[in-house]
Amino acid sequence: MPEIELTAGTIAYEDTGGPGPVVVLLHGLAHDATVWRKVIAALAPGHRVLAPTLPYGSHRTPMKPEVALSPDSVIDLIAEFLDRLDLTDVTLVESDCGRAQTVAVRHPERLTRLVLVSCEAFDNYPPGAPGKMIDLACRVPGGISLMVRVLGLKALRRFPVGLGALTKRPVPDEIAEAWLRPLRTDPAIRHDFRRYCLAVRRDELLRAAEGLRKFDRPALVVWAVDDLMMPREHGRRLAELLPQGRLVEIEDSRTLISEDQPERLVDALRAFVAGAPATA
């Protein structure tokens, strides 16, 4: 997997290469680019697909301690990633976390399309039981270590405070364990995770939503009908405020549609990038 050194630190990323339309996939907290593995495999034949592993707790290389780590710095990191790799006409896709919304508002110059997949929006932070557990763990001494030990227990993985809130189907053990290993084994990664989470501004996504009203480029909102963390009404609201927004709702899925319904997500992405009307 290639790596690139950015201002905040070194990040690894998937890159399928090829001459097709550029699609950049962004993941959420406590998982990495492998959450997109099925989507990447399906899109790769006709697209150049990139998926960076962001410093959200499942990254393997700690960020530079002298550089502030916050949602704002991750937004800058994503923009720098696009710039350093000279990616243009990008379809930027986010799942779970909401940073792509602010990237689209602050750094629209390299984007040609935006896709929001069951993600934090408006005032929904921290989202759901897992979000509240993470927020609490970051504020209590030793809380992150305890949280990771609990989430690492296979018997508890499907509970609503764990992956059970994010997916309707079990994530393969080897994938889930790889997501948790950096937090479990590396104090520097736990420190990155804590300082990122504690730096969240609760009004960021409300401000981003206002900015999205001026994002006059094709935008697709894909929402899980059975989502336990991201209110279904938020998908509709996002699609309505985006000037060229369209909504696709996917049944039989929770937040991580790339895990529960990857084929239907790929169909929606492929049609959207090709310019065809999205089908609800």
Side-chain angles (χ1 to χ4, degrees), residues 214-274:
K214 300 177 182 178
F215 186 79
D216 193 15
R217 299 173 192 186
L220 179 66
V221 179
V222 184
W223 221 259
V225 170
D226 300 327
D227 205 314
L228 299 179
M229 296 180 61
M230 316 300 176
R232 187 175 180 182
E233 66 195 54
H234 282 188
R236 296 175 183 144
R237 285 176 62 188
L238 284 168
E240 288 170 359
L241 68 83
L242 284 155
Q244 296 190 51
R246 290 183 260 165
L247 174 66
V248 170
E249 293 187 320
I250 294 183
E251 296 181 351
D252 195 26
S253 180
R254 291 181 183 159
T255 303
L256 298 184
I257 301 175
S258 60
E259 291 288 338
D260 280 337
Q261 294 290 347
E263 297 88 358
R264 294 173 68 182
L265 178 56
V266 166
D267 287 345
L269 290 173
R270 189 182 286 124
F272 178 61
V273 173

Side-chain angles (χ1 to χ4, degrees), residues 29-235:
L29 282 186
H31 47 274
D32 60 22
T34 59
V35 76
W36 294 110
R37 63 197 182 281
K38 300 173 186 176
V39 172
I40 292 171
L43 284 180
H47 307 76
R48 180 183 178 187
V49 187
L50 300 98
T53 288
L54 300 170
Y56 287 161
S58 295
H59 55 300
R60 275 62 173 178
T61 303
M63 296 292 100
K64 297 175 183 177
E66 69 274 15
V67 177
L69 184 57
S70 67
D72 283 329
S73 63
V74 171
I75 290 158
D76 291 340
L77 180 150
I78 295 165
E80 185 181 1
F81 177 78
L82 300 179
D83 186 62
R84 287 280 304 280
L85 293 178
D86 196 23
L87 302 175
T88 57
D89 297 330
V90 170
T91 298
L92 186 63
V93 184
E94 75 175 9
S95 171
D96 190 8
C97 277
R99 303 290 84 80
Q101 297 168 51
T102 307
V103 172
V105 172
R106 294 184 186 174
H107 305 282
E109 59 277 358
R110 291 188 177 270
L111 306 188
T112 191
R113 301 176 195 86
L114 177 66
V115 183
L116 308 179
V117 183
S118 278
C119 55
E120 300 166 350
F122 305 108
D123 59 351
N124 185 32
Y125 190 89
K132 292 176 175 59
M133 179 181 67
I134 288 171
D135 185 62
L136 178 62
C138 289
R139 297 176 187 280
V140 175
I144 297 174
S145 295
L146 176 60
M147 177 191 75
V148 176
R149 285 200 296 272
V150 171
L151 294 178
L153 298 173
K154 294 181 182 179
L156 299 181
R157 223 167 251 172
R158 299 305 306 157
F159 278 44
V161 293
L163 289 175
L166 291 166
T167 65
K168 297 190 77 170
R169 294 157 184 80
V171 175
D173 287 339
E174 64 274 15
I175 297 293
E177 287 164 8
W179 291 350
L180 294 172
R181 189 175 300 119
L183 278 172
R184 188 172 60 245
T185 60
D186 193 335
I189 297 296
R190 290 196 293 273
H191 181 61
D192 280 353
F193 185 73
R194 183 174 186 271
R195 61 194 183 117
Y196 170 86
C197 291
L198 292 181
V200 169
R201 291 182 292 102
R202 302 303 172 92
D203 65 344
E204 179 211 336
L205 295 176
L206 288 168
R207 291 176 179 270
E210 288 304 309
L212 288 176
R213 296 182 187 277
K214 300 177 182 178
F215 186 79
D216 193 15
R217 299 173 192 186
L220 179 66
V221 179
V222 184
W223 221 259
V225 170
D226 300 327
D227 205 314
L228 299 179
M229 296 180 61
M230 316 300 176
R232 187 175 180 182
E233 66 195 54
H234 282 188

Side-chain angles (χ1 to χ4, degrees), residues 3-24:
E3 295 183 339
I4 184 170
E5 185 173 351
L6 303 174
T7 300
T10 299
I11 65 167
Y13 62 99
E14 298 278 356
D15 185 355
T16 65
V22 176
V23 180
V24 175

